[in-house]
Amino acid sequence: MAATLQVLPRLARVPLRPLLLGGSGARLASGMALAEQARQLFENTVGAVLPGPMMHRALSLDPSSGQLKVRDRSFQLRQNLYLVGFGKAVLGMAAAAEELLGQHLVQGVISVPKGIRAAMECTGKQEMLLKPHSRIQVFEGAEDNLPDRDALRAALAIRQLAEGLTADDLLLVLISGDKPDSVRRDRGPCGGDRQRPHCGQHPQRARLPAHP
């Protein structure tokens, strides 16, 4: 993920070159047009799967009524919304969710890959970072995508938050990445693939389809 973020800005800065070398001016112009179309296609494709736009398509909040809509389900917010998440894209998803939810979000805990915040800063992806006074606590771990003590600390913090909730609380779960084998077998309520938010109030939960 970090390597990809570093490569994308370089691709965007690559100067346009004609696809057809030599020949008439018409062929040169045609090659440049094709290169521009390819660049636009690339940028639109990347933009469609960025965490921020995805979250705004998945969630909507009515400020006057405090109703949070997740697909076809609505949840009443009364300073009772909490957030947890884990995965490569969750930092950007959490930043977008907190911006959308505002004061309705009480607390959050997310687990992200080690070095992801530094990578975002280096590539100028400020919209993927949490604000300085965020209510969401970030744990970085799993260096080289391997379980470690930092990842365990993150998992324990997420469990502690979830176990402290009551039946009147709402928990928004952000998941980025493929479902683990255990979730595929058990079809657990918190399983998700790719970038997927879930919001639930025990015993009911809402599920969203992941983007392609």
Side-chain angles (χ1 to χ4, degrees):
M1 177 69 173
T4 303
L5 288 170
Q6 293 170 357
V7 169
L8 290 180
R10 299 174 192 169
L11 290 176
R13 291 196 297 268
V14 172
L16 291 176
R17 292 187 174 90
L19 297 181
L20 301 177
L21 300 178
S24 66
R27 293 176 63 192
L28 179 63
S30 175
M32 294 181 68
L34 288 173
E36 177 61 24
Q37 291 174 7
R39 174 185 287 187
Q40 291 179 359
L41 177 62
F42 170 79
E43 292 177 348
N44 291 340
T45 302
V46 172
V49 296
L50 287 176
M54 190 279 298
M55 290 298 295
H56 284 281
R57 291 194 300 269
L59 306 176
S60 62
L61 176 66
D62 184 346
S64 59
S65 65
Q67 286 277 331
L68 174 66
K69 190 170 184 179
V70 183
R71 197 183 178 188
D72 57 348
R73 298 282 299 276
S74 294
F75 302 88
Q76 184 64 50
L77 302 185
R78 305 184 186 88
Q79 297 293 315
N80 60 340
L81 181 63
Y82 296 79
L83 180 151
V84 298
F86 43 90
K88 296 180 177 68
V90 159
L91 183 61
M93 295 170 71
E98 187 169 31
E99 181 182 1
L100 174 69
L101 299 169
Q103 296 300 312
H104 291 288
L105 181 63
V106 180
Q107 182 186 357
V109 177
I110 61 174
S111 174
V112 298
K114 193 174 186 65
I116 191 70
R117 285 180 291 186
M120 299 291 186
E121 292 172 355
C122 289
T123 54
K125 301 290 185 182
Q126 297 300 318
E127 72 278 6
M128 306 274 278
L129 296 170
L130 295 168
K131 298 296 187 292
H133 302 292
S134 172
R135 300 184 180 188
I136 300 174
Q137 185 178 10
V138 180
F139 287 85
E140 290 193 9
E143 189 171 9
D144 297 325
N145 209 30
L146 296 173
D148 55 21
R149 290 184 180 275
D150 291 331
L152 177 60
R153 287 177 55 244
L156 293 175
I158 290 174
R159 188 178 74 173
Q160 182 178 19
L161 186 152
E163 289 181 344
L165 301 181
T166 70
D168 295 323
D169 294 323
L170 288 166
L171 181 63
L172 179 63
V173 182
L174 307 178
I175 304 173
S176 167
D178 291 335
K179 288 184 276 191
D181 291 339
S182 60
V183 174
R184 289 196 186 97
R185 289 194 299 269
D186 299 338
R187 306 298 295 173
C190 290
D193 49 72
R194 307 293 176 88
Q195 299 174 20
R196 178 183 297 218
H198 304 265
C199 187
Q201 184 174 28
H202 297 289
Q204 59 180 342
R205 289 183 175 87
R207 297 177 60 85
L208 279 178
H211 65 73

